[in-house]
């Protein structure tokens, strides 16, 4: 969901902003890491002398014995994303235990075709658990296993071979291993037009992460100037119109993957991603979306299929059954990560106040996915059950927020301006699914469940109560950490005020009306770092100095943790080291 109101975004600057809000002390990584430079040749000069890797490299969905590798090759200058142009091209991949590729663990080749927008994936197996690996791709005459020039558009052996940037990835622990900890970067909601992706750069610079969890809104579907409006656009989307067709979605994915900070993130860490709505259209549900008008924008099923096809082409994600993204990643006996798809199977969002939110016939997850999640939680042998959910599960009432802030908050949450009793796009709009899931946790005695959430451009630390009205006298079934946006507008952006001013009133009112909400930040942009040990799961929240500054700094904001067995969050006084 999105706010339709803009922030007055500063034009690009080349140094630290004089108006940068003060933050807490910047936390520096204990060790340094060398990130391979990822600057690509300008697109206008792409592949004039042979294939080129202009969109970086990536890995994702790690396993104890494998990982998924990704890249996109531009075989000729006209083979830009979404064009359908360009010849089939052989791409060779290598994965090694050292940066010099002297200890190859596996290698192979795959053909990049226009039918898949010249994206390629290699699902590598036979690797060692809990191990760092380095990978790269080559294309051109050097990529053919026979050394033939068949991938040359002219049939000439004079085509220069291209070598991609080097990426680093990491496998997960063996299923029966007792890992001492696992550490994730956690991000969501990165709007190209609203700011720079400095959060990705800061996560790329951390050598201590096992993976990065992306909780959705990896990209946005709007026309340039649609969100935010023209006067606040920092850099323009491509294509400039709202994306509807397969070519459109491919072009937009390609546009995002030219960002150097995004390329650095993918080159440094495996990414485990789920989609939310903007990978397709705002407030997507199974049969449509708020931002889709069938009369002028065509058939919904065709648009949805195009968006999902482009997503699986351009993201290092293994598609699950029925082309969805719900799946599991295991980190030994320490943590199971259950990843949800809360857009493909949901009923249409209801309107606020009509009572449909409690209708048992309406669903957020779909029956099959909810059963899959319940079974997986009950069967898990891991200490921690982590659930990646693109929208917030904790109930929230907004009625006590001062009237002058209800409108801006409604805009932020994508709700009608007249009232904001609940957010019907979240689990609050589908209470029967939530009731069934929380009852399953409590009835089965399933403990140490932590929901990890994005979507609403704010940071939260919540207990997840079975009955919010009587909390804390009633039971907490789980805990939830919500991360803020990378760039997408939050409350201070909408109101065009300094951070931590007006929002403090709204945050205080929300906390007063929702005693299970332990912390709420409505203004910051940044990311989270989740560290999991047998004793606790802790989320460290980091804020950027200025999303309009391409060289924005990052500083620690706050930390919250849940101790094993408690199902409640508490404040931690310092971030993990």
């Amino acid at each position: 969901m999105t706010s339709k109101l803009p922030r007055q975004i500063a034009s690009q600057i080349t140094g630290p902003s004089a108006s940068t809000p003060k933050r807490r002390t910047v936390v520096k990584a204990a060790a340094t890491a060398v990130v391979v430079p990822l600057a690509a040749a300008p697109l206008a000069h792409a592949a004039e002398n042979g294939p080129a890797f202009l969109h970086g490299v990536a890995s994702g969905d790690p396993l104890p014995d494998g990982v998924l590798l990704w890249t996109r090759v531009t075989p000729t200058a006209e083979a830009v994303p979404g064009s359908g142009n360009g010849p089939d091209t052989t791409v060779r991949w290598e994965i090694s235990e050292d940066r010099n590729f002297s200890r190859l663990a596996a290698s192979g080749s795959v053909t990049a075709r226009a039918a898949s927008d010249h994206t390629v994936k290699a699902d590598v197996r036979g690797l060692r658990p809990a191990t760092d690996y380095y990978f790269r791709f080559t294309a051109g005459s050097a990529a053919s296993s026979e050394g033939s020039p068949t991938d040359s558009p002219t049939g000439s052996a004079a085509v220069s071979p291209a070598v991609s940037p080097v990426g680093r990835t990491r496998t997960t622990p063996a299923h029966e291993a007792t890992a001492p900890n696992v550490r994730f970067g956690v991000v969501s909601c990165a709007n190209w037009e609203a700011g720079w992706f400095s959060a990705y750069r800061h996560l790329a610079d951390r050598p201590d992460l096992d993976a990065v969890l992306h909780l959705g809104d990896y990209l946005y579907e709007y026309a340039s100037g649609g969100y935010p409006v023209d006067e606040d656009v920092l850099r323009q989307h491509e294509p400039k119109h709202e994306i509807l067709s397969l070519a459109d979605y491919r072009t937009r994915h390609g546009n995002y993957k030219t960002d150097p900070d995004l390329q650095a993130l993918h080159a440094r860490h495996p990414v485990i991603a789920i989609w939310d709505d903007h990978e397709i259209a705002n407030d997507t549900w199974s049969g449509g979306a708020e931002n889709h008008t069938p009369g002028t924008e065509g058939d919904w099923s065709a648009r949805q299929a195009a968006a999902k096809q482009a997503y699986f082409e351009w993201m290092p994600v293994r598609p699950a059954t029925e082309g969805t993204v719900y799946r599991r990643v295991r980190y030994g006996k320490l943590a199971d990560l259950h990843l949800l798809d809360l857009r493909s199977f949901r009923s249409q969002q209801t309107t606020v106040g009509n009572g449909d939110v409690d209708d048992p016939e309406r669903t957020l997850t779909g029956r099959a996915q909810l059963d899959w999640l319940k079974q997986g939680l009950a069967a898990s042998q891991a200490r921690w059950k982590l659930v990646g959910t693109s929208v917030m599960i904790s109930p929230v009432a907004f009625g006590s927020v001062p009237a002058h802030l209800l409108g801006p908050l409604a805009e932020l949450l994508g709700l009608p301006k007249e009232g904001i009793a609940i957010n019907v796009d979240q689990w609050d709009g589908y209470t029967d699914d939530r009731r069934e899931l929380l009852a399953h946790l409590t009835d089965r005695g399933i403990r140490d469940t932590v929901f990890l959430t994005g979507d609403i451009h704010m940071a939260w630390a919540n207990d997840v109560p079975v009955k919010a009205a009587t909390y804390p006298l009633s039971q907490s079934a789980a805990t939830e950490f919500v991360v803020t946006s990378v760039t997408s507008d939050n409350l201070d952006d909408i109101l065009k005020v300094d951070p931590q001013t007006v929002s403090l009133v709204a945050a205080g009112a929300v906390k007063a009306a929702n005693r299970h909400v332990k912390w709420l930040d409505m203004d910051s942009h940044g990311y989270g770092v989740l560290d999991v040990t047998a004793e606790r799961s802790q989320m460290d929240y980091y804020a950027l100095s200025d999303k309009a500054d391409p060289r924005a700094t990052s500083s620690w904001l706050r930390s919250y943790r849940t101790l094993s067995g408690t199902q409640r969050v508490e404040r931690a006084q310092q971030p993990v080291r």
Side-chain angles (χ1 to χ4, degrees):
M1 68 186 62
T2 57
S3 158
K4 306 301 188 296
L5 292 179
R7 179 188 185 188
Q8 183 65 41
I9 296 178
S11 59
Q12 180 178 346
I13 56 178
T14 57
S17 169
S19 61
T20 296
K22 293 181 180 179
R23 301 292 187 185
R24 296 181 185 272
T25 303
V26 177
V27 177
K28 296 182 179 180
T32 58
V34 176
V35 178
V36 177
L38 293 170
L43 291 177
H45 303 291
E48 291 183 351
N49 298 313
F53 295 96
L54 304 177
H55 299 90
V57 299
S59 68
D61 285 0
L63 300 168
D65 68 339
V67 71
L68 189 69
L69 307 182
W70 175 94
T71 195
R72 199 260 183 185
V73 65
T74 304
T76 55
E78 68 274 11
V80 297
S83 67
N85 296 326
D88 293 354
T89 302
T90 300
V91 178
R92 183 169 177 80
W93 56 268
E94 297 175 302
I95 188 165
S96 172
E97 293 188 17
D98 70 308
R99 291 179 180 273
N100 297 323
F101 291 86
S102 61
R103 301 198 310 258
L104 284 184
S107 62
S109 62
V110 64
T111 301
R113 306 179 189 277
S116 59
D117 209 21
H118 290 100
T119 62
V120 294
K121 294 181 179 180
D123 199 346
V124 182
R125 301 299 170 92
L127 305 179
R128 295 193 293 121
T131 302
D132 286 354
Y133 287 94
Y134 301 89
F135 63 97
R136 66 185 178 190
F137 298 87
T138 56
S141 58
S144 174
S145 57
E146 278 83 33
S148 67
T150 56
D151 53 352
S152 166
T154 62
S156 168
V159 174
S160 301
V163 181
S164 76
V166 173
R168 172 260 180 193
T169 192
R170 182 170 177 81
T171 53
T172 62
H175 288 331
E176 299 305 313
T178 303
N181 81 306
V182 59
R183 190 171 295 178
F184 301 103
V186 188
V187 288
S188 74
C189 303
N191 188 335
W192 174 277
E193 296 206 330
W196 297 93
F197 294 164
S198 298
Y200 294 156
R201 169 168 46 84
H202 289 288
L203 286 172
D205 286 344
R206 292 189 64 133
D208 57 338
L209 304 180
D210 291 278
V212 170
L213 178 59
H214 202 297
L215 294 168
D217 294 344
Y218 182 93
L219 53 72
Y220 281 71
E221 84 282 10
Y222 293 114
S224 182
Y227 168 61
V229 296
D230 285 325
E231 65 186 68
D232 298 319
V233 169
L234 188 66
R235 49 182 180 166
Q236 284 194 325
H237 272 140
E238 291 294 340
K240 293 181 176 58
H241 58 266
E242 182 178 334
I243 52 177
L244 300 171
S245 68
L246 178 58
D248 290 343
Y249 281 96
R250 285 169 164 174
T251 302
R252 186 66 57 86
H253 273 280
N255 174 209
Y256 272 62
K257 280 196 167 67
T258 61
D259 183 272
D261 293 333
L262 179 56
Q263 288 193 9
L265 179 79
H266 278 299
R268 187 66 181 87
H269 306 296
V271 170
I272 302 169
I274 55 176
W275 56 49
D276 192 26
D277 51 344
H278 290 291
E279 287 87 348
I280 306 171
N282 183 52
D283 283 359
T284 293
W285 58 285
S286 59
E290 179 276 334
N291 192 29
H292 181 78
T293 306
T296 58
E297 295 180 331
D299 179 68
W300 167 252
S301 61
R303 180 178 185 178
Q304 183 182 51
K308 290 184 176 182
Q309 179 177 335
Y311 183 89
F312 285 122
E313 288 171 347
W314 278 87
M315 295 293 290
V317 171
R318 292 189 189 89
T321 305
E322 301 178 3
T324 181
V325 291
Y326 74 82
R327 62 203 190 279
R328 290 190 186 93
V329 180
R330 296 182 61 183
Y331 280 82
K333 292 183 177 181
L334 183 60
D336 283 345
L337 176 58
H338 310 261
L339 302 158
L340 302 186
D341 178 352
L342 300 183
R343 294 295 169 181
S344 296
F345 313 106
R346 71 157 70 196
S347 306
Q348 185 173 7
Q349 296 87 345
T350 187
T351 56
V352 175
N354 69 3
D356 289 350
V357 295
D358 299 322
D359 184 351
E361 297 302 314
R362 300 180 66 257
T363 182
L364 178 66
T365 62
R367 183 74 259 165
Q369 182 176 199
L370 186 56
D371 288 344
W372 168 88
L373 176 60
K374 290 167 58 180
Q375 183 277 329
L377 292 169
S380 176
Q381 299 298 307
R383 171 65 63 91
W384 293 94
K385 277 68 67 176
L386 310 177
V387 184
T389 170
S390 57
V391 296
M392 195 159 75
I393 191 169
S394 300
V396 179
F398 293 94
S400 63
V401 174
H404 69 285
L405 294 178
L406 286 177
L409 268 179
E411 285 290 328
L412 176 61
L413 299 170
L415 297 174
K417 296 181 184 179
E418 309 81 50
I420 187 174
I422 58 171
N423 186 340
V424 294
D425 192 61
Q426 298 179 170
W427 290 75
D428 269 338
Y430 306 84
T431 62
D432 197 66
D433 278 0
R434 181 172 62 199
R435 176 203 56 77
E436 181 177 337
L437 178 57
L438 298 187
H440 179 72
L441 294 177
T442 56
D443 293 348
R444 295 292 190 95
I446 300 170
R447 307 179 74 80
D448 298 335
T449 302
V450 180
F451 291 90
L452 307 171
T453 309
D455 179 62
I456 56 175
H457 315 171
M458 295 181 274
W460 304 63
N462 305 325
D463 297 342
V464 183
V466 176
K467 295 181 180 179
T470 58
Y471 196 77
L473 299 179
S474 57
Q475 187 175 3
S476 177
T479 55
E480 180 174 34
F481 298 124
V482 184
V483 295
T484 187
S485 66
V486 171
T487 62
S488 301
D489 283 355
N490 45 30
L491 193 61
D492 64 322
D493 301 327
I494 293 172
L495 294 173
K496 301 183 186 298
V497 297
D498 290 335
Q500 306 299 306
T501 55
V502 175
S503 66
L504 297 180
V505 177
V510 169
K511 289 176 63 180
N514 301 272
R515 286 173 288 181
H516 55 282
V517 175
K518 304 306 178 184
W519 179 65
L520 167 58
D521 182 325
M522 295 182 168
D523 293 334
S524 299
H525 298 282
Y527 57 93
V529 173
L530 179 75
D531 187 77
V532 180
T533 68
E535 293 76 26
R536 56 100 184 105
S537 289
Q538 177 170 323
M539 181 70 83
D540 299 332
Y541 295 89
Y542 289 85
L544 300 177
S545 58
D546 183 358
K547 69 174 184 175
D549 181 358
R551 296 188 295 185
T553 59
S554 169
S555 59
W556 174 62
L557 191 59
R558 278 211 184 187
S559 294
Y560 284 84
R561 67 187 182 189
T562 176
L563 301 180
S564 178
T566 67
Q567 279 66 251
R568 295 176 188 258
V569 297
E570 63 179 28
R571 187 170 178 179
Q573 297 304 314
Q574 62 182 13
V576 294
R577 303 293 183 180

